[in-house]
Amino acid sequence: MPNESDPIVIMDSGVGGLPYLETARKLLDKESFVYLADRAGFPYGTKSGDEVRRIVLDRVARLVERFSPKAVVIACNTASQAALSAVRAAHPALAFIGTVPAIKPAAARTKTGVIGVIATAQTVRDPYLDSLVARFAPGAIVIREPAQELVAFVERRLFDAAIEERRAAVAGHIRRLVDAGADQIVIACTHFLYLRDDIAAIAGAGVDIVDSRGGIAHRLSVVLAERALLRTAAAPDRRGLFLLSGDEPAEAPYHRFAGEFDLRGPELLTLS
Ligand code: DGL
Protein backbone atom coordinates (compact mmCIF):
# COMPACT_ATOMS: atom_id res chain seq x y z
CA MET A 1 0.00 0.00 0.00
CA PRO A 2 1.19 3.55 -0.70
CA ASN A 3 2.47 5.63 2.22
CA GLU A 4 3.06 9.34 2.75
CA SER A 5 6.79 9.29 2.07
CA ASP A 6 6.31 7.90 -1.46
CA PRO A 7 6.81 10.33 -4.35
CA ILE A 8 4.19 11.81 -6.66
CA VAL A 9 4.71 10.94 -10.31
CA ILE A 10 3.65 13.34 -13.06
CA MET A 11 3.84 12.30 -16.71
CA ASP A 12 3.21 13.62 -20.20
CA SER A 13 4.39 12.76 -23.69
CA GLY A 14 7.00 15.49 -23.23
CA VAL A 15 7.49 18.74 -21.38
CA GLY A 16 3.80 19.76 -21.36
CA GLY A 17 3.20 18.62 -17.79
CA LEU A 18 6.07 20.61 -16.25
CA PRO A 19 3.91 23.71 -15.61
CA TYR A 20 1.53 21.38 -13.75
CA LEU A 21 4.41 20.12 -11.66
CA GLU A 22 5.39 23.70 -10.87
CA THR A 23 1.88 24.57 -9.66
CA ALA A 24 1.53 21.34 -7.66
CA ARG A 25 4.95 21.81 -6.05
CA LYS A 26 3.97 25.29 -4.82
CA LEU A 27 0.82 23.95 -3.21
CA LEU A 28 2.37 20.73 -1.86
CA ASP A 29 5.76 22.00 -0.81
CA LYS A 30 6.72 19.06 1.39
CA GLU A 31 6.34 16.45 -1.34
CA SER A 32 8.86 14.86 -3.66
CA PHE A 33 8.08 14.60 -7.37
CA VAL A 34 9.23 12.48 -10.29
CA TYR A 35 8.43 13.78 -13.76
CA LEU A 36 8.43 11.63 -16.90
CA ALA A 37 8.68 13.18 -20.35
CA ASP A 38 7.78 10.18 -22.53
CA ARG A 39 10.08 11.07 -25.38
CA ALA A 40 9.87 7.49 -26.75
CA GLY A 41 6.09 7.78 -27.10
CA PHE A 42 6.08 11.40 -28.28
CA PRO A 43 3.84 12.72 -29.74
CA TYR A 44 0.62 11.22 -28.42
CA GLY A 45 -1.74 13.48 -30.33
CA THR A 46 -1.09 11.92 -33.75
CA LYS A 47 -1.79 8.39 -32.46
CA SER A 48 -5.07 6.55 -32.07
CA GLY A 49 -6.73 6.32 -28.66
CA ASP A 50 -5.86 2.59 -28.50
CA GLU A 51 -2.22 3.24 -29.20
CA VAL A 52 -2.00 6.02 -26.59
CA ARG A 53 -3.70 3.72 -24.06
CA ARG A 54 -1.18 0.93 -24.70
CA ILE A 55 1.78 3.32 -24.33
CA VAL A 56 0.47 4.98 -21.17
CA LEU A 57 -0.31 1.62 -19.53
CA ASP A 58 3.26 0.55 -20.25
CA ARG A 59 4.86 3.75 -18.88
CA VAL A 60 2.71 3.78 -15.76
CA ALA A 61 3.58 0.13 -15.03
CA ARG A 62 7.30 0.94 -15.27
CA LEU A 63 6.98 4.03 -13.08
CA VAL A 64 4.99 2.12 -10.48
CA GLU A 65 7.59 -0.64 -10.41
CA ARG A 66 10.54 1.74 -10.08
CA PHE A 67 9.16 4.44 -7.75
CA SER A 68 6.03 2.97 -6.08
CA PRO A 69 4.39 6.39 -6.11
CA LYS A 70 1.46 7.37 -3.91
CA ALA A 71 -0.23 9.23 -6.78
CA VAL A 72 0.16 9.59 -10.53
CA VAL A 73 -0.86 12.73 -12.40
CA ILE A 74 -1.41 12.25 -16.10
CA ALA A 75 -0.60 15.84 -17.10
CA CYS A 76 -1.72 15.32 -20.66
CA ASN A 77 -5.21 15.75 -22.06
CA THR A 78 -4.69 13.26 -24.89
CA ALA A 79 -3.46 10.53 -22.52
CA SER A 80 -6.08 11.25 -19.85
CA GLN A 81 -8.95 11.04 -22.32
CA ALA A 82 -7.62 7.81 -23.81
CA ALA A 83 -6.13 5.98 -20.84
CA LEU A 84 -7.30 7.23 -17.46
CA SER A 85 -9.92 4.54 -16.90
CA ALA A 86 -7.52 1.84 -18.12
CA VAL A 87 -4.69 2.84 -15.74
CA ARG A 88 -7.14 3.09 -12.84
CA ALA A 89 -8.36 -0.43 -13.59
CA ALA A 90 -4.79 -1.74 -13.85
CA HIS A 91 -3.69 -0.16 -10.51
CA PRO A 92 -6.78 -0.02 -8.32
CA ALA A 93 -4.92 0.91 -5.10
CA LEU A 94 -3.20 3.92 -6.65
CA ALA A 95 -4.57 7.48 -6.89
CA PHE A 96 -4.67 8.83 -10.46
CA ILE A 97 -5.42 12.41 -11.36
CA GLY A 98 -6.16 13.15 -15.01
CA THR A 99 -6.13 16.35 -17.01
CA VAL A 100 -9.22 16.88 -19.10
CA PRO A 101 -10.21 19.99 -21.05
CA ALA A 102 -11.54 22.67 -18.67
CA ILE A 103 -14.97 22.88 -20.33
CA LYS A 104 -16.82 23.31 -17.05
CA PRO A 105 -15.21 26.60 -15.89
CA ALA A 106 -15.33 27.96 -19.44
CA ALA A 107 -19.06 27.19 -19.67
CA ALA A 108 -19.63 28.95 -16.35
CA ARG A 109 -17.88 32.09 -17.58
CA THR A 110 -18.86 32.51 -21.22
CA LYS A 111 -21.07 35.45 -22.12
CA THR A 112 -21.14 34.89 -25.87
CA GLY A 113 -21.99 31.19 -25.45
CA VAL A 114 -19.05 30.29 -27.70
CA ILE A 115 -16.09 28.33 -26.30
CA GLY A 116 -12.92 27.56 -28.24
CA VAL A 117 -10.91 24.46 -27.44
CA ILE A 118 -7.34 24.28 -28.73
CA ALA A 119 -5.83 20.81 -28.46
CA THR A 120 -4.07 17.93 -30.20
CA ALA A 121 -5.52 16.16 -33.24
CA GLN A 122 -6.53 13.18 -31.10
CA THR A 123 -8.07 15.20 -28.24
CA VAL A 124 -10.42 17.16 -30.50
CA ARG A 125 -11.79 14.01 -32.13
CA ASP A 126 -11.97 11.86 -28.98
CA PRO A 127 -15.61 11.05 -28.02
CA TYR A 128 -14.58 11.85 -24.43
CA LEU A 129 -14.60 15.55 -25.38
CA ASP A 130 -18.16 15.17 -26.72
CA SER A 131 -19.22 13.73 -23.38
CA LEU A 132 -17.59 16.62 -21.47
CA VAL A 133 -19.40 19.13 -23.68
CA ALA A 134 -22.73 17.33 -23.32
CA ARG A 135 -22.30 17.22 -19.56
CA PHE A 136 -20.90 20.66 -18.76
CA ALA A 137 -21.71 22.95 -21.69
CA PRO A 138 -24.92 21.64 -23.26
CA GLY A 139 -26.12 25.12 -24.27
CA ALA A 140 -22.80 26.41 -25.63
CA ILE A 141 -21.23 26.29 -29.07
CA VAL A 142 -17.89 24.56 -28.66
CA ILE A 143 -15.40 25.05 -31.46
CA ARG A 144 -12.57 22.52 -31.64
CA GLU A 145 -9.26 23.76 -33.01
CA PRO A 146 -6.63 21.08 -33.63
CA ALA A 147 -3.10 22.51 -33.42
CA GLN A 148 -0.90 19.43 -33.37
CA GLU A 149 2.11 21.20 -34.91
CA LEU A 150 2.38 23.44 -31.84
CA VAL A 151 3.28 20.40 -29.71
CA ALA A 152 6.58 19.78 -31.52
CA PHE A 153 7.17 23.53 -31.69
CA VAL A 154 7.10 23.73 -27.89
CA GLU A 155 8.99 20.48 -27.35
CA ARG A 156 11.86 21.30 -29.70
CA ARG A 157 11.96 25.00 -30.43
CA LEU A 158 10.57 26.90 -27.48
CA PHE A 159 13.87 28.35 -26.28
CA ASP A 160 15.12 29.27 -29.75
CA ALA A 161 11.96 30.89 -31.07
CA ALA A 162 11.65 34.67 -30.90
CA ILE A 163 8.40 36.23 -29.74
CA GLU A 164 7.36 36.99 -33.35
CA GLU A 165 7.72 33.32 -34.26
CA ARG A 166 5.67 32.23 -31.26
CA ARG A 167 2.91 34.70 -32.03
CA ALA A 168 2.87 33.69 -35.70
CA ALA A 169 2.63 30.03 -34.69
CA VAL A 170 -0.57 30.55 -32.67
CA ALA A 171 -2.15 33.44 -34.60
CA GLY A 172 -4.19 31.52 -37.19
CA HIS A 173 -5.65 29.14 -34.62
CA ILE A 174 -6.62 31.85 -32.17
CA ARG A 175 -8.04 34.23 -34.76
CA ARG A 176 -10.31 31.48 -36.06
CA LEU A 177 -11.74 30.98 -32.58
CA VAL A 178 -12.12 34.67 -31.77
CA ASP A 179 -13.66 35.45 -35.18
CA ALA A 180 -16.26 32.75 -34.46
CA GLY A 181 -17.24 34.60 -31.27
CA ALA A 182 -15.34 32.64 -28.62
CA ASP A 183 -14.84 34.59 -25.40
CA GLN A 184 -13.27 31.55 -23.68
CA ILE A 185 -10.28 29.68 -25.05
CA VAL A 186 -9.59 26.41 -23.29
CA ILE A 187 -5.97 25.31 -23.45
CA ALA A 188 -6.64 21.59 -23.77
CA CYS A 189 -3.12 20.46 -24.53
CA THR A 190 -0.65 20.91 -21.72
CA HIS A 191 2.17 21.87 -24.10
CA PHE A 192 0.28 25.00 -25.12
CA LEU A 193 0.61 26.48 -21.63
CA TYR A 194 4.05 27.69 -22.66
CA LEU A 195 2.31 29.78 -25.33
CA ARG A 196 -0.33 31.15 -22.97
CA ASP A 197 0.87 34.77 -23.12
CA ASP A 198 1.08 34.61 -26.90
CA ILE A 199 -2.42 33.15 -27.12
CA ALA A 200 -3.73 35.89 -24.81
CA ALA A 201 -2.00 38.62 -26.82
CA ILE A 202 -3.53 37.43 -30.10
CA ALA A 203 -6.96 36.83 -28.55
CA GLY A 204 -7.05 40.35 -27.08
CA ALA A 205 -9.04 41.83 -24.20
CA GLY A 206 -12.36 40.24 -23.34
CA VAL A 207 -11.25 36.68 -24.05
CA ASP A 208 -10.44 34.42 -21.08
CA ILE A 209 -7.71 31.86 -21.46
CA VAL A 210 -8.68 28.85 -19.38
CA ASP A 211 -6.41 26.06 -18.17
CA SER A 212 -6.54 23.39 -15.50
CA ARG A 213 -3.24 23.79 -13.61
CA GLY A 214 -4.78 25.16 -10.42
CA GLY A 215 -7.63 22.66 -10.53
CA ILE A 216 -5.30 19.69 -10.91
CA ALA A 217 -3.00 20.78 -8.07
CA HIS A 218 -6.02 21.28 -5.83
CA ARG A 219 -7.48 17.90 -6.82
CA LEU A 220 -4.15 16.21 -6.10
CA SER A 221 -4.03 17.71 -2.61
CA VAL A 222 -7.65 16.69 -1.89
CA VAL A 223 -7.10 13.12 -3.09
CA LEU A 224 -3.93 12.75 -1.00
CA ALA A 225 -5.62 14.25 2.06
CA GLU A 226 -8.59 11.89 1.70
CA ARG A 227 -6.21 8.95 1.69
CA ALA A 228 -4.13 10.35 4.57
CA LEU A 229 -1.12 10.42 2.24
CA LEU A 230 -0.01 14.05 2.57
CA ARG A 231 3.52 14.35 3.91
CA THR A 232 3.66 15.65 7.45
CA ALA A 233 7.42 16.32 7.28
CA ALA A 234 9.21 17.74 4.25
CA ALA A 235 10.84 15.22 1.91
CA PRO A 236 14.65 15.14 2.24
CA ASP A 237 14.95 15.74 -1.50
CA ARG A 238 12.34 18.14 -2.75
CA ARG A 239 14.18 19.05 -5.93
CA GLY A 240 12.40 16.41 -7.97
CA LEU A 241 13.67 14.19 -10.76
CA PHE A 242 13.26 14.71 -14.49
CA LEU A 243 13.09 11.42 -16.42
CA LEU A 244 13.20 10.95 -20.15
CA SER A 245 12.11 7.68 -21.78
CA GLY A 246 14.36 5.95 -24.32
CA ASP A 247 18.05 5.07 -24.64
CA GLU A 248 19.43 8.08 -26.48
CA PRO A 249 21.23 10.81 -24.54
CA ALA A 250 18.96 13.74 -23.70
CA GLU A 251 18.80 16.44 -26.36
CA ALA A 252 19.77 19.99 -25.34
CA PRO A 253 16.22 21.35 -24.79
CA TYR A 254 15.55 18.69 -22.12
CA HIS A 255 18.57 19.84 -20.11
CA ARG A 256 17.24 23.35 -20.38
CA PHE A 257 13.74 22.34 -19.24
CA ALA A 258 15.21 20.44 -16.25
CA GLY A 259 17.13 23.58 -15.27
CA GLU A 260 14.20 25.96 -15.80
CA PHE A 261 12.02 23.85 -13.50
CA ASP A 262 14.83 23.15 -11.03
CA LEU A 263 14.77 19.36 -11.43
CA ARG A 264 17.56 16.81 -11.23
CA GLY A 265 18.34 15.04 -14.48
CA PRO A 266 17.45 14.37 -17.19
CA GLU A 267 17.89 10.69 -16.29
CA LEU A 268 16.84 7.96 -18.69
CA LEU A 269 13.92 5.58 -18.29
CA THR A 270 15.08 2.86 -20.67
CA LEU A 271 12.31 0.79 -22.17
CA SER A 272 14.33 -2.21 -23.39
N1 DGL B 1 0.71 17.42 -23.89
C1 DGL B 1 -0.24 16.57 -24.46
C2 DGL B 1 -1.69 16.92 -24.23
O1 DGL B 1 -2.01 17.59 -23.27
C3 DGL B 1 0.03 15.78 -25.72
C4 DGL B 1 0.89 16.33 -26.77
C5 DGL B 1 1.27 15.27 -27.79
O2 DGL B 1 2.09 14.44 -27.44
O3 DGL B 1 0.72 15.28 -28.90
O4 DGL B 1 -2.56 16.50 -24.94
Side-chain angles (χ1 to χ4, degrees):
M1 286 307 277
N3 72 67
E4 67 164 64
S5 58
D6 296 332
I8 296 164
V9 160
I10 301 185
M11 71 162 286
D12 177 41
S13 62
V15 296
L18 287 169
Y20 282 77
L21 179 142
E22 187 173 49
T23 307
R25 195 164 49 182
K26 277 189 196 135
L27 185 69
L28 299 169
D29 61 356
K30 295 194 175 81
E31 304 292 336
S32 69
F33 290 88
V34 174
Y35 183 88
L36 173 67
D38 184 17
R39 175 181 58 168
F42 178 90
Y44 289 169
T46 55
K47 298 182 169 71
S48 70
D50 283 347
E51 213 175 334
V52 172
R53 194 171 310 116
R54 184 188 58 71
I55 292 171
V56 174
L57 276 166
D58 174 77
R59 304 307 186 258
V60 167
R62 291 171 193 273
L63 290 164
V64 167
E65 194 185 312
R66 179 151 158 202
F67 298 99
S68 44
K70 60 183 177 183
V72 176
V73 180
I74 310 284
C76 172
N77 293 260
T78 312
S80 298
Q81 292 198 158
L84 195 55
S85 48
V87 289
R88 282 191 173 130
H91 306 273
L94 188 52
F96 284 95
I97 289 92
T99 314
V100 296
I103 300 295
K104 194 178 173 184
R109 285 214 288 252
T110 182
K111 293 190 180 67
T112 61
V114 183
I115 298 168
V117 177
I118 182 165
T120 65
Q122 171 57 22
T123 293
V124 296
R125 66 168 177 249
D126 194 313
Y128 191 102
L129 182 57
D130 299 325
S131 64
L132 280 180
V133 171
R135 188 158 162 221
F136 296 119
I141 296 170
V142 177
I143 302 171
R144 294 138 204 256
E145 180 69 19
Q148 185 63 44
E149 81 289 353
L150 294 181
V151 176
F153 178 76
V154 167
E155 190 82 7
R156 312 261 185 253
R157 293 213 14 84
L158 186 71
F159 297 116
D160 297 329
I163 187 164
E164 296 76 19
E165 194 182 344
R166 295 204 314 266
R167 301 258 154 119
V170 300
H173 296 294
I174 301 308
R175 289 215 180 95
R176 256 193 299 285
L177 296 173
V178 173
D179 289 350
D183 67 347
Q184 307 291 313
I185 295 180
V186 178
I187 299 188
C189 169
T190 57
H191 277 78
F192 303 166
L193 280 169
Y194 294 96
L195 303 171
R196 195 181 202 284
D197 290 349
D198 306 297
I199 291 171
I202 301 285
V207 178
D208 293 330
I209 312 300
V210 187
D211 75 68
S212 58
R213 265 171 304 177
I216 296 299
H218 176 71
R219 182 80 199 127
L220 176 60
S221 70
V222 168
V223 167
L224 289 175
E226 280 169 0
R227 296 175 180 225
L229 286 174
L230 282 171
R231 265 187 176 273
T232 39
D237 175 22
R238 275 172 293 151
R239 201 162 160 231
L241 172 64
F242 184 88
L243 276 180
L244 202 56
S245 62
D247 299 327
E248 299 296 312
E251 294 85 350
Y254 293 111
H255 287 278
R256 180 86 188 263
F257 277 108
E260 295 280 327
F261 287 88
D262 190 27
L263 294 166
R264 286 182 286 120
E267 281 182 17
L268 297 183
L269 179 75
T270 51
L271 303 178
S272 44

